Amino acid sequence: MQKWVYGFGAGQNDGRAEMRNLLGGKGANLAEMASIGLPVPPGFTITTEVCTYYYQHEKQYPPELQAQMDEALARIEQAVGLRFGDESKPLLVSVRSGARVSMPGMMDTVLNLGLNDRTVEGLAAASGDPRFAWDSYRRFIQMYGSVVLGVDHHRFEEIIEEAKITRGVSEDTALTADDWRQVVAEYKAMVEEVLKQPFPQDPQQQLQGAIGAVFGSWMNQRANTYRRLHDIPADWGTAVNVQAMVFGNMGEDCATGVCFTRDPSTGEDIFYGEYLINAQGEDVVAGIRTPQPMSEARAKPGERSMEAAMPAAYAELVDVRSKLEKHYADMQDIEFTVQQNKLYMLQTRNGKRTAAASLKIAVDMAREGLIDQTEAVRRVAPQSLDQLLHPTLDPKAPRKVLTKGLPASPGAACGVVVFSADEAETRAAKGESVILVRIETSPEDIHGMHAAKGILTTRGGMTSHAAVVARGMGRPCVAGAGGIVVDYHSQQLSAGGQVVQGGETITLDGATGEVFLGAVAMVEPKLSGDFATLMGWADSVRRLKIRANAETPLDADTARKFGAEGIGLCRTEHMFFDPERIGAVRQMIMSESEGGRRDALAKLLPFQRKDFIELFRIMAGLPVTIRLLDPPLHEFLPHREEELAEVADTLGADLATMKRRAADLSEANPMLGHRGCRLGVTYPEIYEMQARAIFEAAIETAKETGKAPVPEIMIPLVAMKKELELTRAQVDKVAKEVFAEAGMTIEYLVGTMIELPRACLTADSIAEAADFFSFGTNDLTQTTFGLSRDDAGKFLPYYVDKGILPKDPFVSLDPDGVGALVRIAKDKGRGVKPDLKLGICGEHGGDPASIAFCESVGLDYVSCSPYRVPVARLAAAQAALAGGGDRTA
Amino acid sequence: MQKWVYGFGAGQNDGRAEMRNLLGGKGANLAEMASIGLPVPPGFTITTEVCTYYYQHEKQYPPELQAQMDEALARIEQAVGLRFGDESKPLLVSVRSGARVSMPGMMDTVLNLGLNDRTVEGLAAASGDPRFAWDSYRRFIQMYGSVVLGVDHHRFEEIIEEAKITRGVSEDTALTADDWRQVVAEYKAMVEEVLKQPFPQDPQQQLQGAIGAVFGSWMNQRANTYRRLHDIPADWGTAVNVQAMVFGNMGEDCATGVCFTRDPSTGEDIFYGEYLINAQGEDVVAGIRTPQPMSEARAKPGERSMEAAMPAAYAELVDVRSKLEKHYADMQDIEFTVQQNKLYMLQTRNGKRTAAASLKIAVDMAREGLIDQTEAVRRVAPQSLDQLLHPTLDPKAPRKVLTKGLPASPGAACGVVVFSADEAETRAAKGESVILVRIETSPEDIHGMHAAKGILTTRGGMTSHAAVVARGMGRPCVAGAGGIVVDYHSQQLSAGGQVVQGGETITLDGATGEVFLGAVAMVEPKLSGDFATLMGWADSVRRLKIRANAETPLDADTARKFGAEGIGLCRTEHMFFDPERIGAVRQMIMSESEGGRRDALAKLLPFQRKDFIELFRIMAGLPVTIRLLDPPLHEFLPHREEELAEVADTLGADLATMKRRAADLSEANPMLGHRGCRLGVTYPEIYEMQARAIFEAAIETAKETGKAPVPEIMIPLVAMKKELELTRAQVDKVAKEVFAEAGMTIEYLVGTMIELPRACLTADSIAEAADFFSFGTNDLTQTTFGLSRDDAGKFLPYYVDKGILPKDPFVSLDPDGVGALVRIAKDKGRGVKPDLKLGICGEHGGDPASIAFCESVGLDYVSCSPYRVPVARLAAAQAALAGGGDRTA
């Protein structure tokens, strides 16, 4: 016969902590605590399989369930010496849900179940405290009425308010036994009025109702939404825990509390928590009375610590704390009740904590020997490092939300609103903190983005220009805030009827996507020694190399500081927007002849060479992958006629010609247009200039330092082997020329971005012409899904929200589609060249789930924006520890 | 020992027609003719393997070659009783190249080789004709000098011109033996002056030189280019044919001629050709003398037929003609020489022919029993049917080319230039023939495209809107004519300095992409009974079903007329542009609420229902696949402010709101934007209306005819199974409602376009929710290559031209990339549902090579534009005959 009910406490523990899938987290841990000898009130857990059965059988329970429950209840009765429904000494129970993971929206708790008009008298007599009994009964009606019977909780609150007004008191504690008896009568009348039937008096019926409510709440709308958002299968089900009540509210020798075994905010090794004397669980969090500290050391004047008030129970609890940490080897979040000086444990679970606490606890516990170093590496969520590297909003600071966009680049920023890059730069130069607000950004805005403390756009997704560049610079960014209307002309933005003028202050939280009116207080990041320690441990276990995407010396320096092992993507076009250069770039674009283009490119050569020399110096001894020009040429032209006229003037061209050329260059779908190696093939002089700049820089670096860098030259957007062959031949030709001129030769590699489905599908052929592959998963995601990252904002959030896509595929690599192509490319590429170097340089290179995928495929490195390097190092270590994958292939 | 040299004629024929890979076409056929007893002058073929060897061994010949050549030459000498280099009776030979396929740019022929200052005297004596001997010698020096030694041929022509002026004659024939002797002396002096060494006198050295020149020409630039364009591997190599000379120029009993065994223009079964008395081969084509007809029946007054002039040789040739046709079972293109009344055959090969001739010859030969019906089906190139279905330019008509674009839709058209769809319609209504000229077309132009005789655009590729729609309508179209600048404002176009005003006449050739000034005479298509016969034979062997892409009753009728077996793609959005409807469509788009959209959609419902009823009627008993709305909504809004204002006015909206909404809808990359099922998911009311129109139409048709159609509803742009599940659920819901209202139920299928790489890669999952897949290979090509068909015009022609891509992948399905995805999708889809119906509905559905691919993959049908249906039927038959593929999978 299948076992549907697992007992705990009173000497019979059917469950263990490992059985959380079957018993839910709460039930499994109650059994675990009981089995290591901690004082747990006896009870039983109805398994998650009952829930699944219930939904698979049109809401019928397994036929054996009732008998098993009866037996388990009888065991409780025997253990505590009370009987459920007994009118003189009634057993009361709590009913709590308990899924594998805690889930908002589900029915949580009903306490004091088993009370009715007769047992309440028995409880009063047995406890000798009628006030306690009637207070317990009214609490039960209130909880049961609202969560099981669905009566609006305000209706209950109104009755208490009325009672207090009538009695002229302001605190619940001032109400007497008779007052509560009166409240109970009014509660029952109100419930009967609402439900057209009396409040259930039969304890068995109460129990059935509460259990049914738990199972019912598993499929309510809020729970369904939460599950979809968190990818929790509906067939996991929830368990139900039925447990003998203990009372923290039977008098001054009673108490209840909630603690963490370490400080969840800082991670400090102190006993952290709150308790209340003569209170039931929900009172601690309800805020009606002020909870008191646990230890005397932490007590402020006027506070009464548990250590002082209940020294014996406290000492026992300190002992429990130590046992639990040793047993679970993690910081615990516990709930306890003291009934007449006797301690009872009601819950333990791994405690939630801040990023800083997570780091400190992991490192401390490893040092204490509770866990080993690899376990410490596993314990810290890589994403949480963002909190340690960027300013964050002070959680206690008041704030007024204006709107919400996408959390495009982490960190908080506060400043005055400006609507143009130039103004951002001007005001920043005067020492102002500015937030650059744009409908969307383009490469022309880079100087303003750099000058700004944060960036806000109303269009574009997680890999829009604004998002990518902001992450690269470590600037907080909220992107695609569609609720905001920006009016450049009147220099104001509006959202939900609220208007913000240019020059007024707003605050961004790039980690949540929230935008706030005015200034919100912030907390500056502090990097402790623990950070370096954990990173060291992570480095010692990871296999994947971590490189950074960087073009500027500043980016490269930042990347090195955060531990990058080279540059995986240097986007040379970012070097073209400098005001000193853009003129020559535009002259090149406007030239209708190769000769004209070559003249203009000759002006750019010294700039590019200098760029590369600086990067080679900073990355001395490390690989530097340089991608040749990728974007379509029209990206370098201004959009507005006035600006075009200005450019025409500078170039000595007439506006009409300029407009015609701009129109010629414009594209219906620039993402799929004349860009990448297609430019290199049709205008070979561009790649020739870039290759020359690279080789001359490498040789100059070699002569200067005695050690030649090994540039990795990367050809973008290859779809056919011949494209790579042609452009590679151009590069090789220039190499020969430069080496001959310099009288020396250096090593170099030529490889390609794999960023088109066709490149993946023909990777065996392309590998023959490539020294390395770097997966450009941004563009590969766009083409695989047929999804423009610039336009996806219109429906992608809806898709993710509705669970059509589990995650934004521009944030986390889609393993089924994009990942399948990466695997195909890896198999085909390594099939031809077993040692083919493989990396990834899309935005996914900084995403932990994507890094785990890269590890499983057996890539050699990931490359991400400098501020993501620590995240990537830790994620790579965790991925290596998780093992698996097809790395041997 | 490897055999490098194959003899033919004189009783020893080492080769056969099947050995063309080894011996080249010419050599193989010479041996074949000799072996069936035709009079072939003896000779030998140096195999293509020598050419390959030569290039693999730094231009060295195989060591055994010389001995084999000596032996073969000795056999010729013995057969004809002359010796090579003999000063009294010299053997002369011709040296000709002969690859597997004839290839322009290669060295072709050197005649009379073996002549020098001494053998010329022997020839004079032996022939008794010094003029013939010296004429032959000067011809040899001229040919050898130009093609082997590389002397500019003008230098030779100048010397002859000078000689004729000096002698006061105007015809070569007026020059005497002494005159030619003098020319020879001057030729030799000129060659020595140019080359700084004398003209080679040693016949063996001459022979080596000529053979070397043939092999050398295999790798010259023109040949390399040609090979790349025609996908001919360099390692095929060329053969060299060395053959005893026979002379058509030894007197009035000598002649030379070129014939076809049937009329290559009409296919008529007559002996068609030309000959010249007393002439050498090149004289027939040189145009200096007028060639004469073969048969007396064809001789016009003043002409002297070969039948009359040389009855015996003619009779023998007629016999040869018959033997060759029986032997080769195909129309032959032959070259012959008559020397002193004796006939010699110098070449035979399958003759090139027009589309009409190809069709007639294939059907005739099958009826004559020369070939069977399946062979007749194989013989006609499917693409050539275009010539039979559309008007074509009269090949003899004079013409003045203005420019050239892409051959986007076949047929010729002539008319006055108009620059707007409205003007096209207005002028066409008055009976004018118009050519609609646009920079590019959009769905708003459809009425004008329909009214026009032809369409010319300056942007866009083979699958641009203009090209796709024109092909669908059977309108000739030249697209992407980048050489033309269109100025709408001044109502003129210009190209290469030539200006054409609106209202002036131009002519398009949609089969070549050429644009001509003025009117060019045209030939109207005539469909013979042979066409229907061949189509019938094709239908009896093909496996693939052929459907048409059609939305209008006219298209559907045309498709049926051409033999379509259903509609494979009905693009419902094409139905939205009708002036009666576009208002409601725009109202729907402008509505910011679901209710507003539903109101507008309700207005569209009756129109859509009527559309479907008409299609169901025309396609009675055949499947009709209807694709729900696919393009992004902004495609339905006008682009210019005036037009927007007009729309705003119609809708009672203000222009500012209209502009804001239009700006909201605009996309950076519409191809990858908010379209396809993404619209269906976010605006379910649109698909609901369309589904309702389909079901109501199907039920009305069922009630009217007693036979219900089985609509196949197709959801576009699915990337995730959930998208299909959601939209399918909408369709099913509407079906239930309509069936309940109507009191009857009909069958229907719901499937999806497979047009994104992700859909292919996850086809197993998607197949679970699909009744059928239809590969949308246009979009799949765009995403697989990352190539926008609207923008590819800037570099795709260059790519194809340079051989980076063998073919335009929008014209012919790319088997390595797109094809690989189609195979993956088929394997995964059929893996889940072995009977999953699979079709293709991109533009590739009408391309023979792509159809062969579809056959090899085992698709069930292809769907193409109505005018391509016959092409597809024939191509599908040929693909079935070719067999192979993974159809059993």
Side-chain angles (χ1 to χ4, degrees), chain B residues 496-516:
Chain B
Q498 190 83 36
V499 175
V500 177
Q501 304 289 343
E504 292 182 4
T505 298
I506 61 170
T507 303
L508 308 180
D509 187 342
T512 64
E514 285 167 310
V515 181
F516 305 99

PDB file of all heavy atoms in Angstrom, chain B residues 496-516:
ATOM      1  N   GLY B 496      22.767  55.918 -67.120  1.00  0.00           N
ATOM      2  CA  GLY B 496      23.905  56.134 -68.001  1.00  0.00           C
ATOM      3  C   GLY B 496      23.769  57.383 -68.845  1.00  0.00           C
ATOM      4  O   GLY B 496      24.078  57.378 -70.042  1.00  0.00           O
ATOM      5  N   GLY B 497      23.273  58.460 -68.233  1.00  0.00           N
ATOM      6  CA  GLY B 497      23.187  59.714 -68.964  1.00  0.00           C
ATOM      7  C   GLY B 497      21.949  59.842 -69.832  1.00  0.00           C
ATOM      8  O   GLY B 497      21.647  60.910 -70.358  1.00  0.00           O
ATOM      9  N   GLN B 498      21.216  58.755 -69.985  1.00  0.00           N
ATOM     10  CA  GLN B 498      20.002  58.755 -70.817  1.00  0.00           C
ATOM     11  C   GLN B 498      18.810  59.060 -69.909  1.00  0.00           C
ATOM     12  O   GLN B 498      18.671  58.433 -68.861  1.00  0.00           O
ATOM     13  CB  GLN B 498      19.867  57.347 -71.409  1.00  0.00           C
ATOM     14  CG  GLN B 498      18.830  57.207 -72.476  1.00  0.00           C
ATOM     15  CD  GLN B 498      19.374  57.630 -73.835  1.00  0.00           C
ATOM     16  OE1 GLN B 498      20.540  57.403 -74.124  1.00  0.00           O
ATOM     17  NE2 GLN B 498      18.534  58.241 -74.642  1.00  0.00           N
ATOM     18  N   VAL B 499      17.971  59.993 -70.313  1.00  0.00           N
ATOM     19  CA  VAL B 499      16.809  60.339 -69.490  1.00  0.00           C
ATOM     20  C   VAL B 499      15.531  59.875 -70.178  1.00  0.00           C
ATOM     21  O   VAL B 499      15.365  60.047 -71.386  1.00  0.00           O
ATOM     22  CB  VAL B 499      16.744  61.859 -69.242  1.00  0.00           C
ATOM     23  CG1 VAL B 499      15.457  62.227 -68.499  1.00  0.00           C
ATOM     24  CG2 VAL B 499      17.959  62.318 -68.455  1.00  0.00           C
ATOM     25  N   VAL B 500      14.645  59.241 -69.426  1.00  0.00           N
ATOM     26  CA  VAL B 500      13.342  58.839 -69.956  1.00  0.00           C
ATOM     27  C   VAL B 500      12.267  59.556 -69.133  1.00  0.00           C
ATOM     28  O   VAL B 500      12.252  59.450 -67.911  1.00  0.00           O
ATOM     29  CB  VAL B 500      13.149  57.312 -69.848  1.00  0.00           C
ATOM     30  CG1 VAL B 500      11.758  56.917 -70.347  1.00  0.00           C
ATOM     31  CG2 VAL B 500      14.223  56.575 -70.620  1.00  0.00           C
ATOM     32  N   GLN B 501      11.407  60.287 -69.817  1.00  0.00           N
ATOM     33  CA  GLN B 501      10.336  60.990 -69.129  1.00  0.00           C
ATOM     34  C   GLN B 501       9.157  60.050 -68.939  1.00  0.00           C
ATOM     35  O   GLN B 501       8.962  59.118 -69.714  1.00  0.00           O
ATOM     36  CB  GLN B 501       9.857  62.174 -69.982  1.00  0.00           C
ATOM     37  CG  GLN B 501      10.939  63.158 -70.370  1.00  0.00           C
ATOM     38  CD  GLN B 501      11.435  63.996 -69.193  1.00  0.00           C
ATOM     39  OE1 GLN B 501      10.756  64.068 -68.169  1.00  0.00           O
ATOM     40  NE2 GLN B 501      12.600  64.595 -69.339  1.00  0.00           N
ATOM     41  N   GLY B 502       8.355  60.336 -67.923  1.00  0.00           N
ATOM     42  CA  GLY B 502       7.089  59.626 -67.791  1.00  0.00           C
ATOM     43  C   GLY B 502       6.318  59.777 -69.094  1.00  0.00           C
ATOM     44  O   GLY B 502       6.338  60.845 -69.716  1.00  0.00           O
ATOM     45  N   GLY B 503       5.663  58.704 -69.537  1.00  0.00           N
ATOM     46  CA  GLY B 503       4.904  58.767 -70.783  1.00  0.00           C
ATOM     47  C   GLY B 503       5.705  58.298 -71.992  1.00  0.00           C
ATOM     48  O   GLY B 503       5.120  57.984 -73.030  1.00  0.00           O
ATOM     49  N   GLU B 504       7.020  58.223 -71.871  1.00  0.00           N
ATOM     50  CA  GLU B 504       7.819  57.660 -72.957  1.00  0.00           C
ATOM     51  C   GLU B 504       7.817  56.139 -72.864  1.00  0.00           C
ATOM     52  O   GLU B 504       7.590  55.569 -71.797  1.00  0.00           O
ATOM     53  CB  GLU B 504       9.251  58.215 -72.920  1.00  0.00           C
ATOM     54  CG  GLU B 504       9.295  59.694 -73.252  1.00  0.00           C
ATOM     55  CD  GLU B 504      10.717  60.282 -73.264  1.00  0.00           C
ATOM     56  OE1 GLU B 504      11.690  59.519 -73.080  1.00  0.00           O
ATOM     57  OE2 GLU B 504      10.831  61.493 -73.440  1.00  0.00           O
ATOM     58  N   THR B 505       8.109  55.507 -74.007  1.00  0.00           N
ATOM     59  CA  THR B 505       7.987  54.049 -74.057  1.00  0.00           C
ATOM     60  C   THR B 505       9.309  53.344 -73.752  1.00  0.00           C
ATOM     61  O   THR B 505      10.369  53.773 -74.208  1.00  0.00           O
ATOM     62  CB  THR B 505       7.501  53.633 -75.460  1.00  0.00           C
ATOM     63  OG1 THR B 505       6.212  54.209 -75.663  1.00  0.00           O
ATOM     64  CG2 THR B 505       7.402  52.121 -75.592  1.00  0.00           C
ATOM     65  N   ILE B 506       9.198  52.285 -72.963  1.00  0.00           N
ATOM     66  CA  ILE B 506      10.352  51.390 -72.777  1.00  0.00           C
ATOM     67  C   ILE B 506       9.872  49.947 -72.901  1.00  0.00           C
ATOM     68  O   ILE B 506       8.658  49.675 -72.898  1.00  0.00           O
ATOM     69  CB  ILE B 506      11.057  51.571 -71.401  1.00  0.00           C
ATOM     70  CG1 ILE B 506      10.084  51.266 -70.259  1.00  0.00           C
ATOM     71  CG2 ILE B 506      11.637  52.967 -71.261  1.00  0.00           C
ATOM     72  CD1 ILE B 506      10.777  51.192 -68.897  1.00  0.00           C
ATOM     73  N   THR B 507      10.822  49.049 -73.038  1.00  0.00           N
ATOM     74  CA  THR B 507      10.521  47.632 -73.164  1.00  0.00           C
ATOM     75  C   THR B 507      11.361  46.872 -72.140  1.00  0.00           C
ATOM     76  O   THR B 507      12.527  47.216 -71.917  1.00  0.00           O
ATOM     77  CB  THR B 507      10.857  47.134 -74.586  1.00  0.00           C
ATOM     78  OG1 THR B 507      10.115  47.926 -75.524  1.00  0.00           O
ATOM     79  CG2 THR B 507      10.498  45.663 -74.761  1.00  0.00           C
ATOM     80  N   LEU B 508      10.736  45.909 -71.491  1.00  0.00           N
ATOM     81  CA  LEU B 508      11.451  45.084 -70.505  1.00  0.00           C
ATOM     82  C   LEU B 508      11.587  43.655 -71.022  1.00  0.00           C
ATOM     83  O   LEU B 508      10.661  43.134 -71.646  1.00  0.00           O
ATOM     84  CB  LEU B 508      10.652  44.995 -69.196  1.00  0.00           C
ATOM     85  CG  LEU B 508      10.172  46.274 -68.530  1.00  0.00           C
ATOM     86  CD1 LEU B 508       9.398  45.914 -67.251  1.00  0.00           C
ATOM     87  CD2 LEU B 508      11.362  47.162 -68.211  1.00  0.00           C
ATOM     88  N   ASP B 509      12.717  43.035 -70.734  1.00  0.00           N
ATOM     89  CA  ASP B 509      12.809  41.587 -70.922  1.00  0.00           C
ATOM     90  C   ASP B 509      13.006  40.974 -69.544  1.00  0.00           C
ATOM     91  O   ASP B 509      14.110  40.994 -68.994  1.00  0.00           O
ATOM     92  CB  ASP B 509      13.965  41.217 -71.858  1.00  0.00           C
ATOM     93  CG  ASP B 509      13.954  39.722 -72.181  1.00  0.00           C
ATOM     94  OD1 ASP B 509      13.304  38.953 -71.441  1.00  0.00           O
ATOM     95  OD2 ASP B 509      14.576  39.326 -73.180  1.00  0.00           O
ATOM     96  N   GLY B 510      11.935  40.446 -69.012  1.00  0.00           N
ATOM     97  CA  GLY B 510      11.975  39.904 -67.655  1.00  0.00           C
ATOM     98  C   GLY B 510      12.769  38.614 -67.546  1.00  0.00           C
ATOM     99  O   GLY B 510      13.081  38.166 -66.445  1.00  0.00           O
ATOM    100  N   ALA B 511      13.099  38.018 -68.686  1.00  0.00           N
ATOM    101  CA  ALA B 511      13.877  36.778 -68.655  1.00  0.00           C
ATOM    102  C   ALA B 511      15.365  37.054 -68.593  1.00  0.00           C
ATOM    103  O   ALA B 511      16.143  36.193 -68.175  1.00  0.00           O
ATOM    104  CB  ALA B 511      13.558  35.921 -69.879  1.00  0.00           C
ATOM    105  N   THR B 512      15.791  38.253 -69.007  1.00  0.00           N
ATOM    106  CA  THR B 512      17.217  38.584 -68.985  1.00  0.00           C
ATOM    107  C   THR B 512      17.506  39.738 -68.043  1.00  0.00           C
ATOM    108  O   THR B 512      18.658  39.955 -67.676  1.00  0.00           O
ATOM    109  CB  THR B 512      17.699  39.008 -70.391  1.00  0.00           C
ATOM    110  OG1 THR B 512      16.997  40.227 -70.756  1.00  0.00           O
ATOM    111  CG2 THR B 512      17.413  37.946 -71.438  1.00  0.00           C
ATOM    112  N   GLY B 513      16.470  40.494 -67.688  1.00  0.00           N
ATOM    113  CA  GLY B 513      16.675  41.662 -66.851  1.00  0.00           C
ATOM    114  C   GLY B 513      16.997  42.913 -67.656  1.00  0.00           C
ATOM    115  O   GLY B 513      17.247  43.973 -67.086  1.00  0.00           O
ATOM    116  N   GLU B 514      16.967  42.799 -68.981  1.00  0.00           N
ATOM    117  CA  GLU B 514      17.323  43.971 -69.778  1.00  0.00           C
ATOM    118  C   GLU B 514      16.156  44.962 -69.896  1.00  0.00           C
ATOM    119  O   GLU B 514      14.991  44.573 -69.933  1.00  0.00           O
ATOM    120  CB  GLU B 514      17.754  43.540 -71.181  1.00  0.00           C
ATOM    121  CG  GLU B 514      19.155  42.936 -71.194  1.00  0.00           C
ATOM    122  CD  GLU B 514      19.442  42.228 -72.503  1.00  0.00           C
ATOM    123  OE1 GLU B 514      18.599  41.391 -72.925  1.00  0.00           O
ATOM    124  OE2 GLU B 514      20.485  42.505 -73.098  1.00  0.00           O
ATOM    125  N   VAL B 515      16.519  46.238 -69.983  1.00  0.00           N
ATOM    126  CA  VAL B 515      15.548  47.315 -70.187  1.00  0.00           C
ATOM    127  C   VAL B 515      15.968  48.040 -71.464  1.00  0.00           C
ATOM    128  O   VAL B 515      17.140  48.391 -71.622  1.00  0.00           O
ATOM    129  CB  VAL B 515      15.568  48.304 -69.008  1.00  0.00           C
ATOM    130  CG1 VAL B 515      14.528  49.404 -69.217  1.00  0.00           C
ATOM    131  CG2 VAL B 515      15.321  47.575 -67.695  1.00  0.00           C
ATOM    132  N   PHE B 516      15.012  48.217 -72.386  1.00  0.00           N
ATOM    133  CA  PHE B 516      15.322  48.838 -73.670  1.00  0.00           C
ATOM    134  C   PHE B 516      14.577  50.146 -73.821  1.00  0.00           C
ATOM    135  O   PHE B 516      13.451  50.309 -73.333  1.00  0.00           O
ATOM    136  CB  PHE B 516      14.917  47.904 -74.819  1.00  0.00           C
ATOM    137  CG  PHE B 516      15.541  46.542 -74.697  1.00  0.00           C
ATOM    138  CD1 PHE B 516      14.815  45.481 -74.168  1.00  0.00           C
ATOM    139  CD2 PHE B 516      16.848  46.333 -75.107  1.00  0.00           C
ATOM    140  CE1 PHE B 516      15.395  44.230 -74.042  1.00  0.00           C
ATOM    141  CE2 PHE B 516      17.426  45.077 -74.992  1.00  0.00           C
ATOM    142  CZ  PHE B 516      16.696  44.020 -74.450  1.00  0.00           C
TER     143      PHE B 516
END
